[in-house]
Structure formats: structure tokens, C-alpha cells
Amino acid sequence: MKSKSLQYLEYPTRSIAKSKAFFKQVFGWEFVDYGEMYCAFSLENVDGGFYQSEAISDTASGAALTVFFSDDLSAIESEIIAAGGTIVKDIFAFPGGHRFHFTEPGGSEFAVWSDCYTDK
């Protein structure tokens, strides 16, 4: 591990089972369970976990926003909806690209951006 590198992210969820199913379906994540209140994932460049909580992570409450990249915003938006996610901010332009925000079925907010989106 590199000193001072981002290494681990933890997210609250109202339903560990729903969050796990969503991230497995949309992003292909695998999980290790640590009891009923916590599960962990390991990705190429960061590890993390979900913990059971009635609180959620959303930008309206001042939470940090985790943003994924996709080369096809429309396709991943459809995948997110099909997996039970909810679009909370439609696709919008910002300097450098386009993005949208969504909540996963456990309630926390995430976003996806792309530098190659074109309106259809």
C-alpha cells in the first residue's frame, strides 16, 4: 500500500441484502459478510464496506459523493433502474462531461459521469 493513499470507503445502508444485490448486478461486485450488520467488498484500487444503518449518505445532508465513470451513461442509467436504483438527478452537463445521481436500494446516493455522452 502507498502511504497517504485512499484505501477504504464505508457506506451506510438501510438494507445490506438490497445494497449487495444492487452492486453485484450493476457493477459486478462480490462481498464478504461479517455478521448481519456489515459486509465488505474489494475492488481493483479501493476496498470498502456497507454497514446497517437507518441513516443514509446523501448530498442534501452534506455527505461526500462517490462518483463512478461509464463510457455509456444511458446504458448504465437503464441498468441502475432495472436493478432497483432511483435516479435523483437526471443527466446534466458540467465542465468536462455529463453525470447523473442515483440512490441505491439501501438509500445512499452515488453518481455516474462520462466524458463522452451525447444527447439522443
Side-chain angles (χ1 to χ4, degrees), residues 43-119:
L43 307 177
E44 182 178 321
N45 56 353
V46 70
D47 297 331
F50 287 94
Y51 60 92
Q52 187 70 39
S53 175
E54 283 308 307
I56 53 151
S57 178
D58 66 359
T59 57
S61 300
L65 180 66
T66 300
V67 183
F68 296 92
F69 176 80
S70 175
D71 57 7
D72 190 339
L73 277 187
S74 297
I76 197 162
E77 182 180 48
S78 295
E79 289 179 55
I80 285 167
I81 292 167
T86 302
I87 306 305
V88 294
K89 287 187 184 175
D90 290 325
I91 295 172
F92 63 93
F94 68 94
H98 288 76
R99 78 179 191 201
F100 67 89
H101 295 206
F102 68 93
T103 54
E104 51 89 13
S108 289
E109 181 180 355
F110 295 83
V112 181
W113 87 281
S114 183
D115 59 356
C116 56
Y117 175 76
T118 55
D119 292 320

Side-chain angles (χ1 to χ4, degrees), residues 11 20 23-25 27-31 41 43 50 68:
Y11 301 101
K20 284 173 43 179
F23 282 95
K24 181 175 179 70
Q25 182 176 336
F27 296 100
W29 293 6
E30 298 292 330
F31 294 90
F41 58 86
L43 307 177
F50 287 94
F68 296 92

